[in-house]
């Protein structure tokens, strides 16, 4: 008789969700970088991949929510577990918003804009990796959390600085109105991914303070 597959622990489900968050940040990065390099086919492919990851992450979230209200125990309270997984879901939602824009309109960006967008996107990829480490650290060893939180804050600050510099360049270059709006919206959307990541890490910091002995 075939044995039933063992059910994953709550911790492993959170690990899987953290992996999906990191993947969505990385594929969003790849999509934007490909767009900046005028590789539209790859940009669209990676955009669609990001959207698919977001849908998978939604299903992962639903499974975690279902398990939260079971009898399974975990160091965090049920409300805090729910808040954690919903916050992880919102991170993937922001990456989806960025790539949805790539599927709508693809003006060729001036080099001053494309290079800045590429730098911002590469930083988003770095943040995704740090978020993955942070989520796993908070489930394993609270003492490792602060290091990831500080790194996310530093990278987010760099993204925000580039965001303001790029907005200034967009005004200075005076592209066609539809292109101007597109570049402005893309710059802001990428910056918002970083903002959401810092907001998430601030929430994790609150959990560390709440549950650390």
């Amino acid at each position: 008789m075939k044995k039933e597959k063992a059910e994953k622990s709550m911790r492993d489900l959170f690990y899987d969700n953290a992996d999906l968050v990191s993947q969505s940040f990385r594929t969003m990065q790849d999509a934007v970088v490909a767009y900046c390099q005028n590789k539209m086919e790859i940009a669209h492919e990676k955009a669609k991949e990001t959207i698919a990851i977001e849908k998978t992450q939604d299903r992962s979230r639903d499974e975690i929510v279902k398990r939260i209200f079971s009898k399974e125990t975990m160091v965090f309270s049920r409300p805090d577990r729910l808040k954690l997984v919903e916050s992880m879901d919102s991170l993937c939602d922001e990456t989806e918003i960025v790539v949805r824009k790539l599927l709508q309109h693809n003006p060729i960006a001036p080099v001053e804009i494309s290079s800045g967008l590429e730098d911002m996107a590469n930083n988003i990829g770095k943040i995704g990796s740090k978020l993955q480490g942070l989520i796993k650290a908070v489930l394993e060893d609270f003492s490792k959390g602060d290091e990831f939180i500080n790194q996310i804050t530093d990278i987010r600050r760099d993204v925000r600085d580039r965001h303001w510099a790029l907005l200034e360049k967009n005004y200075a270059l005076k592209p066609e109105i539809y292109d101007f709006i597109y570049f402005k919206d893309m710059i802001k959307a990428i910056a918002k991914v970083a903002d959401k990541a810092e907001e998430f890490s601030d929430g994790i910091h609150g959990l560390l303070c709440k549950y650390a002995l």
Side-chain angles (χ1 to χ4, degrees), residues 59-148:
R59 291 193 291 272
S60 172
R61 176 206 60 198
D62 292 343
E63 176 62 20
I64 292 173
V65 171
K66 183 173 74 174
R67 293 278 290 278
I68 282 173
F69 294 99
S70 70
K71 293 181 180 179
E72 189 167 353
T73 59
M74 196 176 183
V75 65
F76 302 125
S77 69
R78 283 177 175 171
D80 284 334
R81 278 180 267 171
L82 187 59
K83 183 178 180 181
L84 179 59
V85 72
E86 293 294 353
S87 296
M88 291 164 70
D89 181 62
S90 71
L91 291 171
C92 288
D93 289 344
E94 293 300 332
T95 63
E96 183 185 14
I97 289 170
V98 172
V99 299
R100 288 282 185 188
K101 293 180 184 298
L102 285 177
L103 294 173
Q104 290 178 333
H105 180 53
N106 300 133
I108 296 175
V111 65
E112 297 94 334
I113 298 293
S114 63
S115 62
L117 286 174
E118 190 168 341
D119 287 340
M120 288 177 72
N122 286 332
N123 273 330
I124 294 300
K126 292 177 186 175
I127 290 175
S129 177
K130 301 303 178 185
L131 285 169
Q132 182 182 30
L134 175 59
I135 294 163
K136 292 186 176 182
V138 80
L139 296 173
E140 295 171 359
D141 183 355
F142 280 10
S143 66
K144 297 178 182 177
D146 282 342
E147 181 180 350
F148 286 110

Side-chain angles (χ1 to χ4, degrees), residues 141-159:
D141 183 355
F142 280 10
S143 66
K144 297 178 182 177
D146 282 342
E147 181 180 350
F148 286 110
I149 291 169
N150 291 335
Q151 290 170 343
I152 290 168
T153 298
D154 289 342
I155 301 171
R156 179 264 177 191
R157 187 176 294 116
D158 185 72
V159 171

